[in-house]
Amino acid sequence: EALFATLTNVNFDPVRIHEFIRATVSMRDAVRRQYTAECAAKGETPRTPSSTEIADFVPSDMESLESLEAEGHTHGVMSVRERYGVDVAGVHELVMYGLKGLAAYATHARMLGEQNAEVSTFVLDTLAWLDGPDSGDLNASLGRALEVGASNVTVLEMLDRGHTQRYGNPVPTQVNISPEAGKCLLVSGHDLRDLESILEQTAGKGINVYTHGEMLPAHGYPELKRHPHLKGNFGGAWQLQRMEFAHFPGPVIVTTNCLVQPREAYRDQLWTMNAVGWPGVQHLESRDFAPVIEKALEMPGFAETEEPKHITTGFGHATVLGVADKIIAGVKEGHIEQLHVIGGCDGAELDRSYFKDLALGLPPSHIVLTLGCGKYRFNKLEHGTVPNVGLPRLLDMGQCNDAYSAVVVANALAKHFETDINGLPLSVTLSWFEQKAVAVLLSLLHLNVQNITIGPALPAFITPPVLEALVEKFKIKPIPGH
């Protein structure tokens, strides 16, 4: 959870970060005491940690935020560059950001009762490895990055299992993006477990619940969509929230990233929870949503019902594989020429219009599988159906973690065509912004997916020698013209 808290646009509250540091030191010391006691009980000598500097590290002044911040600068990215050089340091950042993305997905999975001791051990081992004797080698660091990708595949599978076992397999669902008159509450983020509790606690209270951002795919899950007051989706991707939240006439709960600096116009109607935080913003310590419900009943809500407009989500791997015979026949008969995975993180840069232009410029015989908030670039536009096949040309597979669904579908199709993923008429284009996109990319590279296009620009920490290695092994490409 502490790693998740340091992910892009999650927690900006120094007091909360301070609490994570204190808790981490306390937990480590408690484990040490327990281990030492058990060794003594068995008459065994405790093993010496591989890095006593890490094992014994304690911030110089645990009680001072100012001291912690100053000391943090001595352990930052620049110190790694001074120690190993920019190339190795860049791969270390790739590893660290991948770990943060993995930690986010693992936190979501844990909320649903899915845990894996091997994954937890791998995370701790890799954090220690980054300061170990082998971490200065470029090839070894790249190898460790791919191991992060392998571990993240396990986590994505856990999260998919947690979602589908609790809420059922997603089904294609039309989601209203126009508000209805009445009291309202907006839920942003990724955590379906939180949305479930919100729906249960608002039932019968006359409050309409709307999703925002990456919570949109919740509408496709049978056990969530059965709630009649789950009314629709409000707004678009995360970077528009400062405008959109200000126009929402009810409280807003941010369950996970992305959070940006709140405007005063809606600060008093905003709550964070879990790892999310902002100084001075109300934070929920549990799934007791009573104060948010009270605020929703106080606020005016939407005055009018607007004309319904719909977008469709719910094309998880079970649904897509359910029409695999149509896809296979369409490919064999030439009606489907190419499948495109276009997804990832959205952002504010103007050149992210590339992803919209790509989706809209494809021939009618091409199908787009989309996931993550990058879909908001084109998911409200008309894409039609594939001629002579009847399948929608845009299939929304879900959240960014549902890259796992795309892999499941690709593996199943590859098996049928007696090839591998790279032998399919399939392309992958990822919009890059935050560290969960790093974790997904590393997972795809671990699975040896070739010719991935990423953009709108490559991360600054990917230096030319590192890019050369990735291009040589995986044929990674920046988006054209960038």
Side-chain angles (χ1 to χ4, degrees):
E1 190 176 4
L3 273 177
F4 181 17
T6 64
L7 190 90
T8 319
N9 291 347
V10 177
N11 199 312
F12 301 83
D13 188 347
V15 174
R16 296 276 309 289
I17 299 298
H18 188 191
E19 291 171 357
F20 280 122
I21 294 172
R22 293 166 64 96
T24 301
V25 172
S26 176
M27 291 172 66
R28 181 201 60 192
D29 292 347
V31 169
R32 186 206 305 271
R33 288 192 298 271
Q34 181 180 354
Y35 172 64
T36 302
E38 291 186 6
C39 286
K42 295 179 179 180
E44 299 175 358
T45 302
R47 293 169 57 190
T48 302
S50 58
S51 174
T52 55
E53 181 180 358
I54 295 175
D56 297 332
F57 175 77
V58 176
S60 57
D61 187 351
M62 282 281 288
E63 303 307 317
S64 168
L65 282 173
E66 292 76 13
S67 176
L68 287 170
E69 181 179 354
E71 189 169 1
H73 287 293
T74 68
H75 299 283
V77 172
M78 299 310 296
S79 66
V80 180
R81 291 183 179 182
E82 292 173 2
R83 180 177 179 182
Y84 294 117
V86 293
D87 297 331
V88 171
V91 182
H92 279 209
E93 290 182 62
L94 189 66
V95 171
M96 179 61 77
Y97 297 155
L99 284 179
K100 292 183 179 187
L102 181 157
Y105 293 137
T107 300
H108 301 329
R110 186 182 64 187
M111 296 285 191
L112 298 164
E114 293 286 338
Q115 299 189 66
N116 185 302
E118 291 183 2
V119 169
S120 299
T121 299
F122 172 78
V123 170
L124 297 175
D125 178 71
T126 301
L127 289 171
W129 182 88
L130 286 169
D131 199 52
D134 298 328
S135 64
D137 182 82
L138 181 62
N139 289 327
S141 298
L142 284 169
R144 180 62 66 148
L146 294 181
E147 290 179 33
V148 173
S151 187
N152 191 56
V153 170
T154 300
V155 174
L156 294 178
E157 182 179 8
M158 290 163 48
L159 184 52
D160 177 78
R161 183 169 59 247
H163 281 156
T164 56
Q165 287 185 353
R166 190 174 185 95
Y167 306 116
N169 284 307
V171 295
T173 302
Q174 283 200 319
V175 182
N176 190 7
I177 57 174
S178 299
E180 293 188 18
K183 305 291 186 178
C184 55
L185 187 157
L186 186 63
V187 186
S188 187
H190 301 73
D191 203 318
L192 301 186
R193 182 66 184 84
D194 294 329
L195 177 62
E196 176 190 2
S197 295
I198 291 167
L199 289 169
E200 290 172 347
Q201 293 179 39
T202 52
K205 289 184 166 58
I207 299 172
N208 294 330
V209 176
Y210 296 84
T211 57
H212 172 268
E214 288 249 47
M215 199 63 80
L216 165 64
H219 293 269
Y221 288 92
E223 286 301 306
L224 295 175
K225 64 182 294 185
R226 67 181 178 84
H227 293 275
H229 59 302
L230 180 59
K231 288 296 183 180
N233 191 75
F234 180 86
W238 64 272
Q239 75 275 9
L240 302 175
Q241 67 184 253
R242 282 171 57 85
M243 175 183 65
E244 293 172 344
F245 288 179
H247 288 92
F248 188 79
V252 179
I253 303 174
V254 181
T255 65
T256 66
N257 60 317
C258 288
L259 174 69
V260 298
Q261 183 175 6
R263 292 171 56 187
E264 289 300 324
Y266 60 83
R267 183 183 286 261
D268 68 340
Q269 68 192 69
L270 180 67
W271 274 264
T272 62
M273 61 184 303
N274 304 318
V276 187
W278 191 279
V281 169
Q282 303 159 102
H283 184 77
L284 295 166
E285 298 293 345
S286 70
R287 292 197 183 96
D288 179 0
F289 296 101
V292 187
I293 292 172
E294 181 180 354
K295 186 70 172 180
L297 294 172
E298 290 176 359
M299 293 188 67
F302 288 106
E304 299 179 352
T305 297
E306 296 183 9
E307 180 181 353
K309 298 178 183 178
H310 294 89
I311 55 178
T312 304
T313 189
F315 290 95
H317 55 81
T319 294
V320 176
L321 291 179
V323 295
D325 56 335
K326 290 187 177 182
I327 296 175
I328 292 166
V331 172
K332 288 182 176 179
E333 295 167 6
H335 301 310
I336 298 176
E337 293 185 296
Q338 188 80 7
L339 301 173
H340 300 263
V341 176
I342 306 177
C345 309
D346 201 5
E349 301 93 332
L350 294 177
D351 47 6
R352 287 182 182 268
S353 62
Y354 168 82
F355 303 99
K356 171 185 172 182
D357 297 340
L358 173 62
L360 292 181
L362 296 173
S365 57
H366 291 217
I367 291 178
V368 174
L369 309 175
T370 190
L371 44 90
C373 63
K375 75 184 70 165
Y376 282 105
R377 288 280 163 173
F378 47 81
N379 72 335
K380 297 179 182 179
L381 305 174
E382 180 57 46
H383 297 270
T385 58
V386 181
N388 302 307
V389 178
L391 290 175
R393 292 188 58 245
L394 179 66
L395 305 179
D396 182 354
M397 304 194 80
Q399 298 178 335
C400 53
N401 52 276
D402 288 308
Y404 175 79
S405 277
V407 170
V408 170
V409 169
N411 279 332
L413 294 177
K415 183 177 181 180
H416 177 86
F417 287 109
E418 298 182 347
T419 184
D420 59 14
I421 290 178
N422 298 309
L424 292 172
L426 174 71
S427 69
V428 180
T429 304
L430 295 180
S431 50
W432 181 289
F433 184 79
E434 51 105 320
Q435 288 98 335
K436 281 189 283 188
V438 178
V440 170
L441 174 64
L442 293 178
S443 292
L444 294 175
L445 297 183
H446 160 71
L447 296 169
N448 195 34
V449 178
Q450 303 276 313
N451 297 299
I452 298 173
T453 301
I454 62 175
L458 295 175
F461 56 82
I462 299 296
T463 61
V466 175
L467 177 60
E468 183 179 345
L470 294 175
V471 169
E472 180 179 354
K473 186 172 180 62
F474 300 107
K475 301 181 178 62
I476 281 182
K477 301 175 290 185
I479 65 175
H482 293 73

